[in-house]
Amino acid sequence: MTRDQIKLKILTSKLIAIIRLDDPSNLYPIACAIADGGITSIEITMTTPNALIEIKKLSARPDILVGVGSVVDSDIAVAAVEAGAQYVVTPVTMKEIIDITHGMGKPIISGALTPTEIVQAYDWGADVIKLFPAGQFGISYLKALKAPLPHIPIIPTGGINVDNAQMWLKAGAVALGIGGGLINQKIVADQNYKAITEMAKALVLAVK
């Protein structure tokens, strides 16, 4: 897929599932459970041990659009794309990561918080802005940002769940990054994959 096609697929789905684990031993079945629930854009954070190995595994599934998150270094971006990542997500904006990701033909979702940071990231070429941390600032903050910046696509991440997902979209989000609102420590510890699939299904319904 081209960079634009990958971006369109993410924005059409409206959801990115974020997986951040201390123990990656059951990451693959968790990701498959999420995909079975209808969320097919799945971000694996680089803070997860063996993240590149897990990205490579998931890239073999044609129904999953796997991305890499928590990228703060250009070399990591390159290694992740070589492992099979289709998009790059950063917690902050770094021009060199934007440039190198585009050079590999992939879209980048760059982290920013303030209006100045958001405009700078977009001017540098970020395909979408990751509003982070969104949960601490809330839906009203996104509304305030979108008033003067309606042309900039923003994906809030943090504090999003099945109960407030639609409100974030109505406030101007083009898609949502969801981690804790989808999987939690207990579900992971219990290996309750059915519960993960059911929550994914509920989130898909919530954003329609």
Side-chain angles (χ1 to χ4, degrees):
M1 286 187 288
T2 67
R3 174 179 147 199
D4 285 341
Q5 288 172 329
I6 296 167
K7 175 183 171 181
L8 179 61
K9 191 168 183 179
I10 293 170
L11 298 186
T12 301
S13 72
K14 298 181 185 176
L15 293 167
I16 299 175
I18 302 166
I19 300 180
R20 185 188 307 274
L21 299 174
D22 295 327
D23 177 4
S25 59
N26 59 348
L27 188 152
Y28 185 83
I30 287 172
C32 291
I34 291 170
D36 289 343
I39 302 177
T40 55
S41 295
I42 300 177
E43 170 193 333
I44 310 302
T45 68
M46 284 303 301
T47 53
T48 298
N50 299 323
L52 295 180
I53 294 173
E54 298 302 322
I55 287 169
K56 187 171 184 179
K57 286 183 195 174
L58 288 173
S59 69
R61 278 195 57 152
D63 59 327
I64 293 178
L65 187 68
V66 62
V68 59
S70 300
V71 176
V72 293
D73 179 273
S74 296
D75 291 340
I76 293 172
V78 172
V81 170
E82 289 178 346
Q86 293 296 305
Y87 56 96
V88 172
V89 184
T90 63
V92 295
T93 296
M94 299 174 68
K95 188 176 185 298
E96 60 266 32
I97 299 179
I98 294 173
D99 292 342
I100 203 160
T101 300
H102 285 171
M104 295 184 288
K106 306 300 181 185
I108 181 166
I109 303 170
S110 291
L113 178 64
T114 68
T116 298
E117 291 170 351
I118 290 168
V119 171
Q120 181 66 87
Y122 199 61
D123 283 350
W124 278 344
D127 296 273
V128 185
I129 305 303
K130 169 183 173 178
L131 182 63
F132 176 78
Q136 284 79 356
F137 291 81
I139 295 170
S140 61
Y141 183 65
L142 175 60
K143 286 182 181 178
L145 288 171
K146 290 296 291 184
L149 305 172
H151 61 292
I152 299 181
I154 297 176
I155 297 178
T157 301
I160 297 165
N161 54 52
V162 68
D163 296 320
N164 63 23
Q166 188 60 235
M167 290 185 282
W168 281 101
L169 291 174
K170 287 180 179 178
V174 294
L176 307 171
I178 303 180
L182 177 57
I183 55 175
N184 57 50
Q185 289 183 350
K186 186 178 188 309
I187 286 177
V188 171
D190 293 344
Q191 298 185 11
N192 192 346
Y193 306 125
K194 183 178 179 181
I196 294 171
T197 296
E198 291 306 310
M199 180 55 71
K201 287 179 179 178
L203 282 161
V204 170
L205 286 174
V207 301
K208 282 188 176 179

